[in-house]
Amino acid sequence: ACDEVVDSAQLKSLLRRLLVVGNTMNVSTGQKRAGGISVDSIIKTATKRGRDNKTTVADHVVANLLKQGDADGVVEFASSISGIENGKDVDMRDVEATLRKMEADLAQLRKTIDSEHGEELKNGTSDLIEKGTTFVGHASSRIEVLKAKLNAAQQNTLARR
């Protein structure tokens, strides 16, 4: 889900449009132009009301997108992110616990393979051991990638607080 959000062309387009509107508002108040948009400023910008005290910036951006035909499907960007519904309820502590369990299970498998390796070589049936060893190597690499992604997500969460 995280990768889908980060890679979403529709979301990037929507954020660019919110940035343009936000910068237009900044210029009218004498503030500097922003080079990017943060989560906090997205919420502030999107919910900022106009002079009529009814229309929000998000209303304005969506109305303009619809008026222009929204060829890129920006208004419906959330539906293009299939994993977002599943990802919204994920607790990082559960992910961390699952990764620890996977590491422990992998260590046990590695120990079993190592203990069986000598016996298999004697019998000339080391194919299973070789495949198991290859699997453990790939799985270990994959777990390290997942741990790095979890760590990055945790750091991002801490930085937002």
Side-chain angles (χ1 to χ4, degrees):
C2 293
D3 289 340
E4 289 182 72
V5 169
V6 170
D7 296 337
S8 172
Q10 293 95 342
L11 180 57
K12 288 175 187 173
S13 179
L14 180 61
L15 293 175
R16 272 194 300 275
R17 292 164 194 263
L18 283 173
L19 180 61
V20 167
V21 172
N23 277 332
T24 302
M25 291 167 47
N26 286 349
V27 168
S28 70
T29 62
Q31 295 179 2
K32 293 181 185 177
R33 291 177 48 88
I37 191 163
S38 67
V39 174
D40 289 339
S41 64
I42 292 169
I43 295 166
K44 288 177 188 173
T45 303
T47 58
K48 179 82 174 158
R49 297 198 178 275
R51 290 188 182 130
D52 67 359
N53 212 19
K54 293 179 184 175
T55 307
T56 65
V57 170
D59 294 333
H60 174 73
V61 169
V62 169
N64 279 335
L65 281 166
L66 293 173
K67 192 186 307 180
Q68 296 168 2
D70 190 24
D72 298 329
V74 174
V75 174
E76 297 295 327
F77 82 89
S79 64
S80 70
I81 303 172
S82 60
I84 203 161
E85 275 302 310
N86 296 332
K88 72 177 184 169
D89 297 323
V90 172
D91 186 330
M92 283 193 248
R93 293 171 295 206
D94 292 341
V95 173
E96 193 172 18
T98 300
L99 280 173
R100 280 195 307 271
K101 173 88 169 90
M102 288 170 63
E103 282 183 303
D105 290 349
L106 200 56
Q108 182 60 44
L109 178 59
R110 185 178 285 122
K111 201 181 285 186
T112 301
I113 288 172
D114 290 345
S115 70
E116 295 291 324
H117 186 68
E119 193 62 35
E120 292 292 321
L121 287 176
K122 285 181 199 173
N123 297 332
T125 56
S126 63
D127 189 45
L128 179 63
I129 298 299
E130 289 173 24
K131 288 182 180 179
T133 302
T134 300
F135 170 79
V136 168
H138 289 301
S140 295
S141 297
R142 196 70 188 129
I143 287 173
E144 289 305 314
V145 169
L146 292 172
K147 284 171 52 178
K149 286 184 177 190
L150 174 63
N151 187 41
Q154 289 171 325
Q155 294 302 317
N156 286 337
T157 301
L158 291 174
R160 280 190 248 138
R161 290 182 180 167

